[in-house]
Amino acid sequence: MSMSTTALSPAADAAPDSDPGPVAVASAYGRFEPRAYLRNNYAPPRGDLSRPDGVGPWKLRCLAQTFATGEVSGRTLIDIGSGPTVYQLLSACAHFEDITLTDFLEVNRQELGLWLREEPGAFNWSEYSQHVCLIEGKGESWQEKERQLRAKVKRVLPIDVHQPQPLGAGSLAPLPADALVSTFCLEAVSPDLASFQRALDHITTLLRPGGHLLLIGALEESWYLAGEARLVVVPMREQEVREALLRSGYELRDLRTFTMPAHLRTGVDDVKGIFFAWAQKKGAL
């Protein structure tokens, strides 16, 4: 499972009236280890895509089925808090021309760069690419899928979801975007529900009216491990996800949940389940 990492900019703790909660989150993420995180969540057992009851196949299926509707498409897509992962964009890349990856942590942006440049030592996502090609059923090879995604990613940028302008002033990403994707980010960098709501409000400013948000996150999780880092998560329930999206001005198009089976509760977190939400920003198209 992927809890991507975005947090508050280090400059924030210079502000005397800054919220100490997000500042503490940012400090904790300074110890985040991308490779440990990837091992915990993308190597077996959680990285085993052969079992139909696995979390990986469920996430990939939710994304593939939603993009297969043809409704979530356009020119520009921004992935909010990519972390060190790209699997969440394998089905997206056929529907957008310009994809922006983002993360708060430089170590995660470096990890993404290794894969984008096909450098030695980059994390191997080929099993995920193969699985997506299989469920999409278009006869595409996994190599073609990865080439397409690499070609569509135009930039990897810093982001801070706790700022009113998450990408900063004068962002290099074309705004507003036609769609946003975010996987395991907002709840993993928010010390409480109010902070989660503000972060959702902030990223929503990056999306055009009528644009789509695909949000994947943890249910009832309070912590997870990434090497030496033990990160605090705001425990979310399905109803709280629904209410947050409505308050941020979305129409909820689909909401699905997955209960983490016993064999995937491996001690690297206390997650109980996963949610997938497809939401459309209200307003004139």
Side-chain angles (χ1 to χ4, degrees):
M1 145 183 183
S2 156
M3 270 146 274
S4 300
T5 53
T6 324
L8 222 149
S9 61
D13 48 15
D17 57 351
S18 60
D19 180 349
V23 173
V25 171
S27 176
Y29 271 97
R31 297 185 294 276
F32 185 92
E33 297 177 31
R35 284 305 170 109
Y37 171 77
L38 290 167
R39 281 195 305 273
N40 290 349
N41 296 295
Y42 296 98
R46 288 187 177 176
D48 179 3
L49 302 182
S50 65
R51 292 184 59 151
D53 63 341
V55 64
W58 184 84
K59 290 185 295 184
L60 296 175
R61 194 163 55 247
C62 287
L63 291 163
Q65 290 172 349
T66 303
F67 283 110
T69 67
E71 292 191 61
V72 185
S73 63
R75 195 178 78 81
T76 58
L77 179 147
I78 301 174
D79 185 33
I80 304 292
S82 306
T85 70
V86 299
Y87 74 91
Q88 66 272 22
L89 298 167
L90 290 166
S91 287
C93 65
H95 302 273
F96 294 89
E97 296 305 312
D98 182 305
I99 295 176
T100 300
L101 304 183
T102 69
D103 203 77
F104 174 71
L105 292 179
E106 184 179 357
V107 289
N108 281 338
R109 300 195 300 271
Q110 290 171 346
E111 189 71 43
L112 293 170
L114 292 177
W115 186 85
L116 290 168
R117 295 186 299 270
E118 299 185 73
E119 292 190 9
F123 190 79
N124 183 1
W125 290 104
S126 62
E127 286 190 35
Y128 282 78
S129 305
Q130 290 170 47
H131 193 83
V132 169
C133 290
L134 181 66
I135 59 179
E136 288 181 346
K138 298 176 184 175
E140 185 180 21
S141 74
W142 69 267
Q143 293 94 337
E144 290 167 4
K145 173 69 77 178
E146 292 194 350
R147 273 195 297 271
Q148 184 179 46
L149 177 53
R150 288 186 174 101
K152 297 292 183 70
V153 173
K154 304 303 183 185
R155 63 198 69 79
V156 181
L157 301 178
I159 192 169
D160 178 352
V161 300
H162 295 304
Q163 298 297 329
Q165 291 182 295
L167 293 172
S171 166
L172 296 174
L175 296 173
D178 294 313
L180 304 177
V181 170
S182 188
T183 54
F184 303 102
C185 171
L186 301 185
E187 75 282 2
V189 299
S190 298
D192 51 43
L193 195 54
S195 181
F196 177 95
Q197 185 73 62
R198 286 192 298 272
L200 181 59
D201 289 345
H202 293 160
I203 70 167
T204 300
T205 66
L206 306 176
L207 182 64
R208 67 167 174 82
H212 297 266
L213 167 66
L214 302 185
L215 190 65
I216 295 178
L219 290 172
E220 298 184 70
E221 179 179 50
S222 66
W223 61 272
Y224 76 99
L225 301 176
E228 294 298 309
R230 188 179 192 274
L231 293 315
V232 173
V233 182
V234 57
M236 300 291 298
R237 291 182 170 81
E238 180 181 348
Q239 187 58 30
E240 290 168 332
V241 175
R242 289 178 183 274
E243 291 170 358
L245 288 165
L246 292 174
R247 279 196 291 269
S248 288
Y250 289 94
E251 174 193 351
L252 190 59
R253 300 289 303 275
D254 188 16
L255 182 63
R256 312 181 197 183
T257 61
F258 173 90
T259 300
M260 192 67 76
H263 77 278
L264 295 183
R265 298 190 184 189
T266 57
V268 298
D269 54 40
D270 63 348
V271 67
K272 305 296 188 298
I274 311 294
F275 70 85
F276 168 82
W278 169 16
Q280 188 170 16
K281 185 175 176 178
K282 294 177 182 177
L285 297 178

